[in-house]
Amino acid sequence: MASESKKSGGIVETIKTIVYALLIAGVFRTLFFQPFWIPSGSMKDTLLIGDFLFVNKMSYGYSYASCPSLYLPNFGIDVDAKDLCGWADGDNSRLFGSEPERGDVAVFRHPVSGRDFIKRVIGLPGDEIQMIRGVLHINGTAVELAQQPDFEETASPQGPQGLRPRCANGPVGTGGTCVKERFAETLPNGRTHSILNIGTQGSDNTPVYSVPEGHYFMMGDNRDNSSDSRVPSVAGGVGFVPYENMIGKANRVVFSSAGSSMLFFWTWRGDRFFEKIE
Protein backbone atom coordinates (compact mmCIF):
# COMPACT_ATOMS: atom_id res chain seq x y z
CA MET A 1 0.00 0.00 0.00
CA ALA A 2 2.81 2.39 0.90
CA SER A 3 4.52 1.55 -2.39
CA GLU A 4 1.37 2.40 -4.40
CA SER A 5 0.94 5.66 -2.48
CA LYS A 6 4.57 6.58 -3.13
CA LYS A 7 4.19 5.78 -6.83
CA SER A 8 0.98 7.84 -7.05
CA GLY A 9 2.69 10.74 -5.31
CA GLY A 10 5.59 10.54 -7.76
CA ILE A 11 3.23 10.80 -10.73
CA VAL A 12 1.49 13.82 -9.20
CA GLU A 13 4.84 15.54 -8.59
CA THR A 14 5.88 14.87 -12.20
CA ILE A 15 2.65 16.38 -13.52
CA LYS A 16 3.07 19.41 -11.26
CA THR A 17 6.64 19.88 -12.49
CA ILE A 18 5.51 19.79 -16.13
CA VAL A 19 2.68 22.25 -15.45
CA TYR A 20 5.01 24.64 -13.62
CA ALA A 21 7.57 24.38 -16.42
CA LEU A 22 4.90 25.19 -19.03
CA LEU A 23 3.65 28.15 -16.98
CA ILE A 24 7.17 29.53 -16.59
CA ALA A 25 7.84 29.05 -20.31
CA GLY A 26 4.55 30.78 -21.14
CA VAL A 27 5.32 33.76 -18.91
CA PHE A 28 8.86 34.00 -20.33
CA ARG A 29 7.58 33.91 -23.91
CA THR A 30 4.82 36.41 -23.19
CA LEU A 31 6.98 38.98 -21.40
CA PHE A 32 10.51 38.68 -22.71
CA PHE A 33 11.52 36.68 -25.79
CA GLN A 34 9.65 34.76 -28.47
CA PRO A 35 11.40 32.16 -30.67
CA PHE A 36 10.97 32.63 -34.41
CA TRP A 37 12.04 30.53 -37.39
CA ILE A 38 12.48 32.22 -40.77
CA PRO A 39 10.14 30.28 -43.08
CA SER A 40 10.57 32.19 -46.36
CA GLY A 41 13.09 34.18 -48.37
CA SER A 42 11.38 37.57 -48.13
CA MET A 43 14.14 39.02 -45.90
CA LYS A 44 17.20 37.73 -47.80
CA ASP A 45 20.02 38.33 -47.49
CA THR A 46 19.56 39.83 -44.02
CA LEU A 47 17.74 36.68 -42.91
CA LEU A 48 17.87 33.31 -44.64
CA ILE A 49 15.37 30.46 -44.65
CA GLY A 50 16.20 28.34 -41.62
CA ASP A 51 17.56 31.15 -39.44
CA PHE A 52 16.39 30.90 -35.83
CA LEU A 53 16.16 33.95 -33.59
CA PHE A 54 14.56 35.30 -30.46
CA VAL A 55 12.31 38.34 -30.73
CA ASN A 56 12.80 40.90 -27.96
CA LYS A 57 9.28 41.70 -26.73
CA MET A 58 10.56 44.36 -24.35
CA SER A 59 11.57 46.53 -27.33
CA TYR A 60 8.10 47.95 -27.99
CA GLY A 61 6.21 47.19 -24.78
CA TYR A 62 3.16 44.97 -24.54
CA SER A 63 -0.23 44.61 -26.20
CA TYR A 64 -2.64 41.77 -26.89
CA ALA A 65 -0.21 40.62 -29.62
CA SER A 66 2.40 39.88 -26.94
CA CYS A 67 0.41 36.86 -25.83
CA PRO A 68 1.73 33.64 -27.38
CA SER A 69 0.07 31.97 -30.33
CA LEU A 70 0.58 28.40 -31.49
CA TYR A 71 -0.22 27.18 -34.99
CA LEU A 72 0.39 23.48 -35.72
CA PRO A 73 -2.03 22.55 -38.50
CA ASN A 74 -0.78 18.96 -38.71
CA PHE A 75 -1.94 18.44 -35.14
CA GLY A 76 -5.09 20.53 -35.38
CA ILE A 77 -3.67 23.15 -32.99
CA ASP A 78 -4.47 26.80 -33.64
CA VAL A 79 -4.25 28.93 -30.51
CA ASP A 80 -4.37 32.61 -31.38
CA ALA A 81 -3.15 35.51 -29.24
CA LYS A 82 -6.68 36.90 -29.36
CA ASP A 83 -7.97 33.68 -27.79
CA LEU A 84 -5.93 34.50 -24.69
CA CYS A 85 -5.71 38.29 -24.70
CA GLY A 86 -8.48 39.47 -26.99
CA TRP A 87 -9.84 41.58 -24.14
CA ALA A 88 -6.84 43.93 -24.63
CA ASP A 89 -7.40 44.34 -28.38
CA GLY A 90 -8.95 47.35 -30.06
CA ASP A 91 -7.45 50.60 -28.79
CA ASN A 92 -4.10 50.37 -30.70
CA SER A 93 -2.09 51.14 -27.58
CA ARG A 94 0.63 49.38 -25.60
CA LEU A 95 1.72 48.98 -21.99
CA PHE A 96 5.23 50.37 -21.39
CA GLY A 97 5.15 51.22 -25.10
CA SER A 98 8.18 52.26 -27.11
CA GLU A 99 7.82 53.20 -30.77
CA PRO A 100 9.60 51.19 -33.49
CA GLU A 101 12.41 52.97 -35.30
CA ARG A 102 12.83 53.15 -39.04
CA GLY A 103 15.05 50.27 -40.14
CA ASP A 104 14.12 47.89 -37.30
CA VAL A 105 13.61 44.26 -38.27
CA ALA A 106 10.39 43.44 -36.43
CA VAL A 107 7.95 40.59 -35.95
CA PHE A 108 4.27 41.51 -36.03
CA ARG A 109 0.83 39.96 -36.29
CA HIS A 110 -0.71 40.09 -39.75
CA PRO A 111 -3.70 42.46 -39.54
CA VAL A 112 -6.06 39.91 -41.12
CA SER A 113 -4.72 36.35 -40.71
CA GLY A 114 -3.11 36.90 -37.31
CA ARG A 115 -0.02 34.93 -38.36
CA ASP A 116 3.40 36.15 -37.29
CA PHE A 117 5.36 37.98 -40.02
CA ILE A 118 8.85 39.48 -40.02
CA LYS A 119 9.75 42.53 -42.13
CA ARG A 120 11.66 45.79 -41.87
CA VAL A 121 10.07 49.01 -40.58
CA ILE A 122 10.25 51.41 -43.54
CA GLY A 123 7.44 53.92 -43.02
CA LEU A 124 6.49 55.67 -39.76
CA PRO A 125 3.13 57.27 -38.93
CA GLY A 126 2.55 60.28 -41.20
CA ASP A 127 5.15 59.22 -43.82
CA GLU A 128 4.52 59.03 -47.54
CA ILE A 129 6.06 55.94 -49.14
CA GLN A 130 6.45 55.16 -52.83
CA MET A 131 8.47 52.88 -55.09
CA ILE A 132 9.64 54.44 -58.36
CA ARG A 133 11.54 52.22 -60.81
CA GLY A 134 12.56 49.95 -57.97
CA VAL A 135 13.87 52.76 -55.76
CA LEU A 136 12.28 53.48 -52.39
CA HIS A 137 11.11 57.07 -51.88
CA ILE A 138 10.28 58.38 -48.41
CA ASN A 139 8.43 61.69 -48.17
CA GLY A 140 9.29 62.49 -51.77
CA THR A 141 13.02 61.79 -51.51
CA ALA A 142 14.80 58.74 -52.94
CA VAL A 143 16.85 56.74 -50.45
CA GLU A 144 20.56 56.35 -51.05
CA LEU A 145 21.58 53.15 -52.88
CA ALA A 146 25.07 51.72 -53.37
CA GLN A 147 25.76 48.75 -55.64
CA GLN A 148 27.19 45.73 -53.83
CA PRO A 149 28.53 42.36 -55.06
CA ASP A 150 25.74 40.11 -56.32
CA PHE A 151 24.06 37.75 -53.86
CA GLU A 152 24.56 34.14 -54.92
CA GLU A 153 22.96 30.95 -53.62
CA THR A 154 22.44 27.40 -54.84
CA ALA A 155 19.23 26.85 -56.79
CA SER A 156 17.68 24.05 -54.77
CA PRO A 157 14.72 23.46 -52.42
CA GLN A 158 15.21 25.38 -49.17
CA GLY A 159 13.85 24.76 -45.68
CA PRO A 160 11.07 22.41 -44.52
CA GLN A 161 8.72 23.74 -47.23
CA GLY A 162 11.21 23.06 -50.01
CA LEU A 163 10.94 26.60 -51.42
CA ARG A 164 12.99 27.31 -54.54
CA PRO A 165 14.63 30.74 -54.86
CA ARG A 166 13.79 33.18 -57.65
CA CYS A 167 16.82 34.28 -59.65
CA ALA A 168 17.76 37.38 -61.62
CA ASN A 169 19.70 35.19 -64.06
CA GLY A 170 16.51 33.40 -65.13
CA PRO A 171 15.27 29.90 -64.30
CA VAL A 172 18.23 27.95 -62.95
CA GLY A 173 18.38 24.18 -62.70
CA THR A 174 18.88 22.39 -59.40
CA GLY A 175 22.45 22.79 -58.22
CA GLY A 176 23.09 25.85 -60.36
CA THR A 177 24.04 29.32 -59.13
CA CYS A 178 21.10 31.63 -58.48
CA VAL A 179 22.07 35.31 -58.69
CA LYS A 180 20.33 38.44 -57.41
CA GLU A 181 21.49 42.05 -57.58
CA ARG A 182 22.42 43.44 -54.17
CA PHE A 183 22.42 47.04 -52.95
CA ALA A 184 23.15 48.81 -49.68
CA GLU A 185 20.11 50.96 -48.89
CA THR A 186 20.50 53.87 -46.46
CA LEU A 187 17.35 55.20 -44.80
CA PRO A 188 16.85 58.86 -43.78
CA ASN A 189 17.94 58.14 -40.19
CA GLY A 190 21.27 56.74 -41.40
CA ARG A 191 20.43 53.06 -40.94
CA THR A 192 21.96 50.97 -43.75
CA HIS A 193 20.97 47.46 -44.74
CA SER A 194 21.17 45.12 -47.71
CA ILE A 195 18.36 44.70 -50.26
CA LEU A 196 18.05 42.35 -53.23
CA ASN A 197 16.65 42.86 -56.73
CA ILE A 198 15.46 40.09 -59.04
CA GLY A 199 14.01 42.04 -61.95
CA THR A 200 11.43 44.56 -63.09
CA GLN A 201 7.90 43.90 -61.84
CA GLY A 202 4.73 45.71 -60.82
CA SER A 203 5.80 46.33 -57.22
CA ASP A 204 8.74 48.42 -58.48
CA ASN A 205 6.31 51.24 -59.28
CA THR A 206 3.57 52.02 -56.80
CA PRO A 207 1.22 54.83 -55.86
CA VAL A 208 2.02 57.01 -52.87
CA TYR A 209 1.12 55.32 -49.58
CA SER A 210 0.24 57.70 -46.76
CA VAL A 211 0.92 55.90 -43.49
CA PRO A 212 -1.93 56.54 -41.00
CA GLU A 213 -1.28 57.60 -37.43
CA GLY A 214 -0.62 54.63 -35.20
CA HIS A 215 0.48 52.43 -38.12
CA TYR A 216 3.70 51.33 -39.82
CA PHE A 217 4.76 50.46 -43.36
CA MET A 218 6.70 47.19 -43.53
CA MET A 219 8.81 45.83 -46.39
CA GLY A 220 10.98 42.76 -47.01
CA ASP A 221 14.63 43.20 -47.96
CA ASN A 222 14.19 40.74 -50.84
CA ARG A 223 12.03 43.36 -52.50
CA ASP A 224 10.78 41.33 -55.49
CA ASN A 225 9.90 38.30 -53.37
CA SER A 226 8.07 39.84 -50.43
CA SER A 227 4.41 40.10 -49.50
CA ASP A 228 4.37 43.34 -47.52
CA SER A 229 2.71 46.73 -47.03
CA ARG A 230 2.78 47.49 -50.76
CA VAL A 231 -0.34 45.30 -51.09
CA PRO A 232 -3.41 45.79 -48.85
CA SER A 233 -3.97 43.05 -46.27
CA VAL A 234 -7.42 42.26 -47.68
CA ALA A 235 -5.78 41.61 -51.08
CA GLY A 236 -3.27 39.11 -49.72
CA GLY A 237 -0.52 41.51 -48.69
CA VAL A 238 0.19 43.10 -45.32
CA GLY A 239 -1.04 46.67 -45.66
CA PHE A 240 -0.46 49.15 -42.86
CA VAL A 241 0.42 47.44 -39.57
CA PRO A 242 -1.23 48.81 -36.39
CA TYR A 243 1.05 49.72 -33.50
CA GLU A 244 -0.65 47.17 -31.25
CA ASN A 245 0.18 44.36 -33.72
CA MET A 246 3.92 44.77 -33.25
CA ILE A 247 5.39 41.88 -31.28
CA GLY A 248 9.05 42.76 -30.93
CA LYS A 249 12.41 43.51 -32.48
CA ALA A 250 14.82 40.94 -33.91
CA ASN A 251 18.41 41.71 -32.91
CA ARG A 252 20.50 38.61 -33.57
CA VAL A 253 20.39 35.23 -35.36
CA VAL A 254 20.97 32.53 -32.75
CA PHE A 255 21.11 29.42 -34.95
CA SER A 256 20.82 28.64 -38.65
CA SER A 257 20.21 25.52 -40.70
CA ALA A 258 20.03 25.28 -44.50
CA GLY A 259 18.36 21.87 -44.45
CA SER A 260 14.78 20.67 -44.11
CA SER A 261 15.38 19.83 -40.43
CA MET A 262 17.51 21.37 -37.71
CA LEU A 263 18.62 17.81 -36.84
CA PHE A 264 20.63 17.59 -40.08
CA PHE A 265 23.81 18.95 -38.51
CA TRP A 266 25.69 18.85 -41.81
CA THR A 267 23.40 21.65 -43.06
CA TRP A 268 24.09 23.98 -40.14
CA ARG A 269 25.43 27.44 -41.06
CA GLY A 270 28.00 27.94 -38.32
CA ASP A 271 29.03 31.32 -39.71
CA ARG A 272 25.55 32.70 -38.96
CA PHE A 273 25.37 31.61 -35.30
CA PHE A 274 24.86 34.73 -33.11
CA GLU A 275 25.15 37.04 -36.12
CA LYS A 276 23.88 40.58 -35.49
CA ILE A 277 20.89 41.66 -37.58
CA GLU A 278 21.52 44.96 -39.34
Side-chain angles (χ1 to χ4, degrees):
M1 181 73 78
S3 175
E4 291 182 3
S5 176
K6 188 174 182 179
K7 183 177 180 180
S8 176
I11 293 173
V12 171
E13 286 303 315
T14 299
I15 293 174
K16 286 169 63 176
T17 300
I18 293 173
V19 170
Y20 291 152
L22 291 174
L23 286 174
I24 292 171
V27 170
F28 184 85
R29 179 174 174 177
T30 299
L31 296 180
F32 302 112
F33 298 96
Q34 175 176 315
F36 191 86
W37 283 98
I38 302 302
S40 73
S42 69
M43 283 296 293
K44 290 179 181 177
D45 66 326
T46 304
L47 297 171
L48 304 180
I49 295 175
D51 282 352
F52 176 77
L53 48 89
F54 283 101
V55 180
N56 185 353
K57 290 190 170 185
M58 296 176 284
S59 300
Y60 307 137
Y62 305 96
S63 71
Y64 85 94
S66 302
C67 281
S69 58
L70 185 61
Y71 181 61
L72 299 172
N74 292 337
F75 298 93
I77 298 175
D78 187 2
V79 179
D80 188 82
K82 285 189 176 182
D83 295 334
L84 302 174
C85 298
W87 53 270
D89 179 25
D91 61 358
N92 201 24
S93 64
R94 307 184 71 88
L95 184 64
F96 308 121
S98 177
E99 296 182 1
E101 296 183 6
R102 198 190 311 276
D104 285 357
V105 175
V107 172
F108 59 92
R109 280 176 50 88
H110 188 282
V112 173
S113 71
R115 303 297 174 221
D116 291 349
F117 273 50
I118 185 166
K119 305 288 180 186
R120 190 177 297 276
V121 179
I122 294 297
L124 305 179
D127 280 345
E128 292 190 341
I129 307 296
Q130 185 177 23
M131 294 292 293
I132 302 176
R133 293 187 292 278
V135 179
L136 172 65
H137 288 63
I138 299 177
N139 297 323
T141 302
V143 299
E144 179 184 336
L145 290 177
Q147 185 89 43
Q148 301 291 307
D150 288 342
F151 172 74
E152 298 183 356
E153 59 184 334
T154 301
S156 61
Q158 300 177 353
Q161 301 180 56
L163 301 177
R164 297 185 65 87
R166 292 178 57 207
C167 313
N169 54 331
V172 177
T174 299
T177 301
C178 177
V179 178
K180 297 177 180 64
E181 286 186 300
R182 176 163 46 190
F183 299 87
E185 179 179 83
T186 301
L187 300 175
N189 60 350
R191 298 272 293 271
T192 299
H193 57 274
S194 174
I195 63 168
L196 302 182
N197 177 59
I198 298 172
T200 302
Q201 59 185 47
S203 58
D204 289 337
N205 293 281
T206 71
V208 175
Y209 301 98
S210 297
V211 185
E213 288 301 317
H215 291 73
Y216 294 86
F217 195 94
M218 315 294 292
M219 293 181 69
D221 291 347
N222 191 1
R223 292 286 164 80
D224 293 337
N225 195 43
S226 174
S227 174
D228 51 39
S229 293
R230 288 172 288 179
V231 177
S233 56
V234 293
V238 169
F240 302 121
V241 177
Y243 180 42
E244 66 180 353
N245 281 41
M246 304 298 278
I247 293 175
K249 181 180 177 181
N251 294 312
R252 194 173 296 273
V253 173
V254 177
F255 172 83
S256 184
S257 172
S260 59
S261 170
M262 65 176 293
L263 300 179
F264 298 163
F265 63 87
W266 57 91
T267 67
W268 292 358
R269 306 184 186 105
D271 61 327
R272 294 188 63 78
F273 289 13
F274 304 107
E275 180 174 291
K276 184 179 180 181
I277 298 173
E278 298 292 344

